[in-house]
């Protein structure tokens, strides 16, 4: 019996102690001043450098690239250059089999000889017809022939003169055909049209090229690989910020970690539309003295369009943050993200304030992470709200659980067991 009384008294004192501790904890939690910053994610307003950039991808190519073709058809008889061969203007780089074009030249010469002979024959006949017409006029004056015979002789003379003109025209045609055949024979020898380097060879010895519809491509020659260009695809939203003369930097996969520099030479007005995406070609001149860059490489281009140093800036998250509107809040309390005058709203933690204070500012440059503050009641060191703290609700709910009389886990009375 005494043991039971002792246990009852022990549990009574334990419950009383738990109740007192819970009441004290609840009182301290409610009386402690609440720090507004504990419920939010914040950032400081600091001076920093803001740089706006335009990024694009492009392809490297030589300033002047010439595709060398053939104006005549034939079989490749000889190739005198290969990939990466340096060539000079007028240098022979390939030859076609000249047998067919040489036969065409011989045929054209024979036609020219025949046409010249026909001209000579026509002139002789015309001279004979002229003399017969003169004799007919004399005989007509002496009344030895009729007027009809005179007219026939004169008509024959006129026809002979016309035949001479026709034969002379055929001779001119034969001479033109001979000239064309000789040009084709000359074109069977392929020469380089410029100084440069062969970057592509598209034929082999023995291959037949047909130039009936269009000139087949035999070689591609880059004029000077020490001066190259990058043709970039710039989005229409960014092309308005670019101007000729701006400096551009780019990298290529072949040389990781190395940056190359160029200058915008031209922004072409011709638009390219791919899957409803409009881009414009910004041509960038690049010096390539070490010949590290090669035609066809993909360049990841960055162009700095504006830069400011030491300007007040805030994270872009601060411009996007909007606190939960309290119940019964008016429309004025829910400030829009951007007003009609271009100003924007962010929230600041002021000393002595119970919560975030709304501040309207004007913004300037942005680099995608931070935005310049042009105008507004903000100073260096001010604290702006960028988000809601994830543990705010948990921290507020913890003291309430203690005040509810929650029994600490694992507490057992001494002895064999409890009464409850």
């Amino acid at each position: 019996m005494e043991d039971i009384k002792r246990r009852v008294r022990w549990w009574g004192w334990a419950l009383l102690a738990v109740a007192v501790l819970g009441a004290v904890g609840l009182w301290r939690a409610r009386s402690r001043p609440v720090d507004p910053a504990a419920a939010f994610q914040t950032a400081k307003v600091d001076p920093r450098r803001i740089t706006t950039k335009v990024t694009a991808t492009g392809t490297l190519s030589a300033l002047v690239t010439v595709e060398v073709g053939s104006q005549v058809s034939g079989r490749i008889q000889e190739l005198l250059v290969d990939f990466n061969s340096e060539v000079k203007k007028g240098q022979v780089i390939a030859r076609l089999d000249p047998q067919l074009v040489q036969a065409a030249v011989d045929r054209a010469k024979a036609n020219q000889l025949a046409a010249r002979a026909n001209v000579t024959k026509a002139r002789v006949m015309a001279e004979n017809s002229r003399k017969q017409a003169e004799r007919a006029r004399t005989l007509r004056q002496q009344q030895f022939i009729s007027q009809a015979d005179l007219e026939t002789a004169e008509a024959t003379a006129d026809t002979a003169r016309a035949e001479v003109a026709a034969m002379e025209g055929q001779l001119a045609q034969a001479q033109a055909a001979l000239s064309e055949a000789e040009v084709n024979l000359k074109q069977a020898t392929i020469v380089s049209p410029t100084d440069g380097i062969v970057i592509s060879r598209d034929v082999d010895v023995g291959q037949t090229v047909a130039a009936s519809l269009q000139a087949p491509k035999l070689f591609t020659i880059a004029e000077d690989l020490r001066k190259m260009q990058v043709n970039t695809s710039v989005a229409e939203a960014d092309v308005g910020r670019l101007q000729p003369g701006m400096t551009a930097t780019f990298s290529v996969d072949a040389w990781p970690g190395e940056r190359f520099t160029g200058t915008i030479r031209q922004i072409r007005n011709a638009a390219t539309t791919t899957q409803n995406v409009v881009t414009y070609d910004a041509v960038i001149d690049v010096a390539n003295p070490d010949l590290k860059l090669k035609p066809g490489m993909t360049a990841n281009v960055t162009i700095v369009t504006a830069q400011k140093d030491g300007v007040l800036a805030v994270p872009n998250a601060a411009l996007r943050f909007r606190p939960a509107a309290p119940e019964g809040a008016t429309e004025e309390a829910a400030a829009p993200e951007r007003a009609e005058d271009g100003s924007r709203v962010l929230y600041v933690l002021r000393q002595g304030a119970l919560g975030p204070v709304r501040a309207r500012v004007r913004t300037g440059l942005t680099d995608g992470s931070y935005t310049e503050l042009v105008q507004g009641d903000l100073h260096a060191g001010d604290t702006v709200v960028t988000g809601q703290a994830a543990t705010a609700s948990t921290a507020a709910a913890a003291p309430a659980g203690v005040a509810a009389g929650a029994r600490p886990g694992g507490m057992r009375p001494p002895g064999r067991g409890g009464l409850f």
Side-chain angles (χ1 to χ4, degrees), residues 52-112:
T52 61
K53 303 175 182 179
V54 172
T55 58
T57 58
T59 304
L60 280 157
S61 63
L63 287 180
V64 178
T65 302
V66 181
E67 292 184 353
V68 181
S70 175
Q71 295 183 3
V72 297
S73 301
R75 181 177 56 85
I76 299 295
Q77 186 181 56
E78 186 178 11
L79 291 175
L80 302 177
V81 295
D82 203 349
F83 292 92
N84 299 337
S85 298
E86 293 187 1
V87 295
K88 299 294 183 180
K89 183 177 182 179
Q91 176 182 341
V92 178
I93 58 178
R95 288 190 177 91
L96 300 179
D97 188 350
Q99 294 182 12
L100 292 178
V101 287
Q102 183 63 54
V105 170
D106 296 340
R107 183 170 59 253
K109 288 182 178 180
N111 292 336
Q112 182 190 38

Side-chain angles (χ1 to χ4, degrees), residues 22 25-26 29-30 32 394-404:
L26 180 61
R30 292 184 176 179
R32 184 184 303 119
T394 305
V402 176

Side-chain angles (χ1 to χ4, degrees), residues 90-397:
Q91 176 182 341
V92 178
I93 58 178
R95 288 190 177 91
L96 300 179
D97 188 350
Q99 294 182 12
L100 292 178
V101 287
Q102 183 63 54
V105 170
D106 296 340
R107 183 170 59 253
K109 288 182 178 180
N111 292 336
Q112 182 190 38
L113 291 176
R116 185 175 287 113
N118 290 334
V119 169
T120 301
K121 178 180 177 181
R123 287 174 179 173
V124 171
M125 296 181 63
E127 181 64 17
N128 182 44
S129 298
R130 183 186 65 79
K131 292 180 179 179
Q132 290 181 1
E134 290 180 354
R135 285 195 295 271
R137 293 189 191 95
T138 302
L139 293 175
R140 176 58 184 163
Q141 291 175 356
Q142 297 175 0
Q143 300 296 323
F144 290 131
I145 61 174
S146 65
Q147 181 65 28
D149 293 337
L150 174 61
E151 292 175 354
T152 300
E154 291 178 345
T156 302
D158 293 339
T159 302
R161 286 195 299 271
E163 187 68 19
V164 171
M167 291 299 103
E168 288 177 347
Q170 292 182 5
L171 176 61
Q173 291 178 350
Q175 290 176 343
L178 176 59
S179 298
E180 180 181 359
E182 290 175 345
V183 169
N184 289 338
L185 179 60
K186 185 179 179 180
Q187 292 297 329
T189 301
I190 310 299
V191 298
S192 173
T194 182
D195 297 342
I197 184 171
V198 178
I199 62 176
S200 174
R201 175 177 61 81
D202 299 289
V203 292
D204 293 305
V205 174
Q207 182 176 342
T208 300
V209 295
S212 57
L213 298 179
Q214 61 181 5
K217 184 177 69 171
L218 307 182
F219 302 93
T220 301
I221 299 177
E223 189 172 278
D224 187 3
L225 292 182
R226 291 174 176 82
K227 297 179 181 179
M228 302 189 71
Q229 68 182 20
V230 181
N231 295 91
T232 62
S233 298
V234 180
E236 60 177 326
D238 298 327
V239 72
R241 293 188 284 163
L242 302 184
Q243 295 294 334
M246 285 184 173
T247 301
T249 59
F250 65 94
S251 62
V252 294
D253 294 338
W255 302 98
E258 186 170 354
R259 303 292 296 180
F260 301 89
T261 304
T263 304
I264 297 179
R265 168 165 48 94
Q266 184 184 51
I267 301 174
R268 295 176 178 172
N269 294 325
T272 302
T273 303
T274 304
Q275 295 181 350
N276 294 328
V277 177
V278 180
T279 58
Y280 292 87
D281 185 7
V283 183
I284 301 173
D285 288 334
V286 179
N288 187 29
D290 300 331
L291 299 179
K292 289 184 176 181
L293 302 175
K294 300 183 182 299
M297 284 185 172
T298 300
N300 300 310
V301 183
T302 300
I303 305 169
V304 176
T305 59
Q307 180 174 293
K308 290 184 179 180
D309 293 324
V311 297
L312 291 181
V314 296
N316 287 354
L319 298 172
R320 295 190 298 266
F321 172 73
R322 292 295 174 267
E327 295 183 3
T330 61
E331 294 183 359
E332 182 180 358
E337 181 179 353
R338 188 186 296 271
E340 294 182 357
D341 59 356
S343 62
R344 305 184 68 174
V345 169
L346 51 77
Y347 289 84
V348 189
L349 294 180
R350 302 289 189 187
Q351 186 175 3
L354 298 180
V357 179
R358 189 175 63 197
R360 188 169 290 277
V361 297
R362 291 185 181 273
T363 58
L365 298 180
T366 180
D367 60 4
S369 299
Y370 287 84
T371 299
E372 173 196 7
L373 296 180
V374 177
Q375 184 180 358
D377 186 18
L378 285 178
H379 307 280
D382 286 348
T383 302
V384 295
V385 180
T386 60
Q388 196 82 26
T391 59
S393 59
T394 305

